[in-house]
Amino acid sequence: MTDREAGETAPFDLASMRKHYREEGLAESDLAATPVAQFAAWFQQAATEGRLFEPNAMVVSTADAEGRPSSRTVLLKGFDERGFVFYTNYDSRKGRDLSENPYVSLLFPWHPMARQVIVQGVARRTGRDETAAYFRTRPHGSQLGAWASAQSSVIATRAEVDAAYAELAARYPEGEQVPVPPHWGGFRVAPSSVEFWQGRENRLHDRLRYVAEPDGGWRVERLSP
């Protein structure tokens, strides 16, 4: 393929697509004592001032036992000093990856605010009581969906999923308790590092990273943009 032909296939001039960030900076003195407290402050701003659609949406990146990576968007469903929690089908690709390799990266892409948060850590399954408690808060249809979908498996047609859902809806009508699927549950990511990225002019962004210390504390280091 010639350079001209390659250019004709691109709908936009990607090289010229750029945004000049003019957001306020992030200084070490601005940070909370722990990364979770700092995340809570930024998350509140993202959910209110930022008016972001689903600020709890995060990119979860995993790798299998052979190091082959995969990423997908998942909703954060809880966080505290113990870590960041999301729920999934344990037989899904990410579930299988995490059973072989528990190291995971979470990325919160809050682009309208010129901010990102990157969490790196180890994922462990939540207890069944915690999983069941969250499952009961899900809408009835979402509870049925957790049973109807063999997440990440190959299927012939959409009709297979629709038929499975319809059968479950008949078995467990609205108002009847849906059992928690044994193959479905939560992961809690205990962070080993959390980076707070703030966009600045001239691509000279602020990047401050909390790193876990052996004594349970945190040190903060500044990364070059």
Side-chain angles (χ1 to χ4, degrees):
M1 180 181 291
T2 66
D3 290 343
R4 181 166 181 256
E5 289 173 332
E8 287 174 346
T9 62
F12 303 104
D13 180 5
L14 300 180
S16 67
M17 295 179 70
R18 59 176 55 87
K19 179 177 175 61
H20 297 287
Y21 301 118
R22 292 183 174 83
E23 300 293 335
E24 294 182 2
L26 180 64
E28 285 82 348
S29 59
D30 297 330
L31 296 179
T34 69
V36 171
Q38 181 63 34
F39 179 83
W42 268 26
F43 185 85
Q44 183 177 21
Q45 291 178 343
T48 55
E49 301 168 27
R51 299 185 296 277
L52 300 183
F53 176 71
E54 292 190 329
N56 60 327
M58 59 185 180
V59 178
V60 176
S61 297
T62 59
D64 63 17
E66 297 180 9
R68 292 173 296 195
S70 61
S71 300
R72 74 289 291 161
T73 302
V74 179
L75 296 179
L76 177 72
K77 288 300 179 180
F79 68 91
D80 56 26
E81 294 295 339
R82 296 174 298 164
F84 299 79
V85 178
F86 65 92
Y87 291 86
T88 188
N89 186 315
Y90 288 141
D91 296 328
S92 66
R93 179 171 181 176
K94 59 183 169 298
R96 295 194 306 271
D97 281 358
L98 291 173
S99 69
E100 299 173 348
N101 177 1
Y103 294 97
V104 63
S105 175
L106 312 177
L107 167 65
F108 295 86
W110 296 332
H111 300 312
M113 302 180 72
R115 286 178 173 177
Q116 300 179 75
V117 180
I118 303 168
V119 179
Q120 292 184 309
V122 174
R124 297 284 185 246
R125 292 187 182 190
T126 59
R128 292 310 292 173
D129 288 346
E130 184 176 353
T131 289
Y134 168 70
F135 188 78
R136 297 291 170 229
T137 71
R138 289 166 61 92
H140 183 73
S142 295
Q143 293 182 14
L144 297 178
W147 279 101
S149 172
Q151 195 175 67
S152 300
S153 64
V154 176
I155 57 175
T157 67
R158 166 76 189 203
E160 290 183 26
V161 177
D162 292 338
Y165 183 90
E167 180 181 344
L168 287 160
R171 188 186 313 169
Y172 301 106
E174 189 77 43
E176 186 167 335
Q177 188 174 85
V178 180
V180 181
H183 56 271
W184 186 95
F187 281 105
R188 173 173 285 103
V189 179
S192 57
S193 71
V194 184
E195 178 185 334
F196 293 85
W197 184 102
Q198 175 67 70
R200 299 293 300 276
E201 286 187 303
N202 303 316
R203 297 298 186 264
L204 298 177
H205 314 305
D206 284 323
R207 299 174 60 190
L208 296 180
R209 180 171 64 187
Y210 293 79
V211 179
E213 297 278 36
D215 64 0
W218 299 91
R219 76 172 187 273
V220 174
E221 51 193 22
R222 177 174 286 271
L223 305 179
S224 175

